Amino acid sequence: MLERKISDDLLEWKLIGTGKALLLTGARQIGKSYAVREFAKHEYAHYLEINLYENKQAARALASANDAQEFISRLTLFSPSTLTPGGTLIFIDEVQEAPDVMTTSSLMYRRRNSTI
C-alpha cells in the first residue's frame, strides 16, 4: 500500500511538470529510496543518484556551491552521463547529512529558472 502511495505521488509530481525539487520524507527503511530508483528507471532516460552519507566528497562539493548554477555544474562531476533538462532525474539521498545541500536545493526550488 505504501509503495503504491509513493509511486502515485512521484508520478503526480512528474506530471505536474514544474521541474522543481521534491523532498521526500518519512520513517527510515520503508522503501523511499527504492521507490525513487524504480520510478527513475521507468520514467526517465537518465538517472543520477548521489548518497551524501556514502559519498562525502560529493557532500562537500555540493555544500560549497555558491549558487544554483555552480550546484548544477558540480552535480555533473558525479554523473556518468550528461544531465538532460527534463530527461534526468537527480536523486540526492541522505540529504540530511549535508544541511547546506538542503539549503541550496531549497533555493533552487524557490527560483523557477533553476530547473534541471
Side-chain angles (χ1 to χ4, degrees):
M1 178 79 156
L2 182 60
E3 182 179 339
R4 175 76 179 166
K5 171 77 171 115
I6 291 172
S7 297
D8 288 349
D9 288 348
L10 290 170
L11 189 56
E12 180 181 348
W13 168 79
K14 181 183 181 191
L15 293 175
I16 289 171
T18 63
K20 293 181 178 181
L22 174 69
L23 180 62
L24 188 60
T25 61
R28 295 187 54 75
Q29 303 296 316
I30 61 168
K32 295 180 303 294
S33 296
Y34 173 80
V36 171
R37 286 183 200 109
E38 289 300 304
F39 173 72
K41 273 193 253 180
H42 298 287
E43 297 292 329
Y44 287 87
H46 304 284
Y47 165 66
L48 170 61
E49 179 176 350
I50 299 174
N51 183 310
L52 299 183
Y53 178 77
E54 295 173 357
N55 191 335
K56 302 298 184 195
Q57 180 184 12
R60 286 189 301 274
L62 296 175
S64 63
N66 293 313
D67 56 36
Q69 208 51 43
E70 187 175 343
F71 186 83
I72 293 166
S73 293
R74 290 176 185 214
L75 282 171
T76 64
L77 298 173
F78 299 96
S79 180
S81 60
T82 303
L83 301 180
T84 308
T88 302
L89 179 80
I90 300 169
F91 174 38
I92 302 174
D93 201 5
E94 303 294 346
V95 72
Q96 74 278 1
E97 295 294 321
D100 289 342
V101 173
M102 191 177 293
T103 300
T104 302
S105 299
S106 84
L107 289 173
M108 290 173 61
Y109 175 83
R110 289 188 205 121
R111 295 185 183 130
R112 264 194 77 123
N113 63 348
S114 299
T115 302
I116 306 176

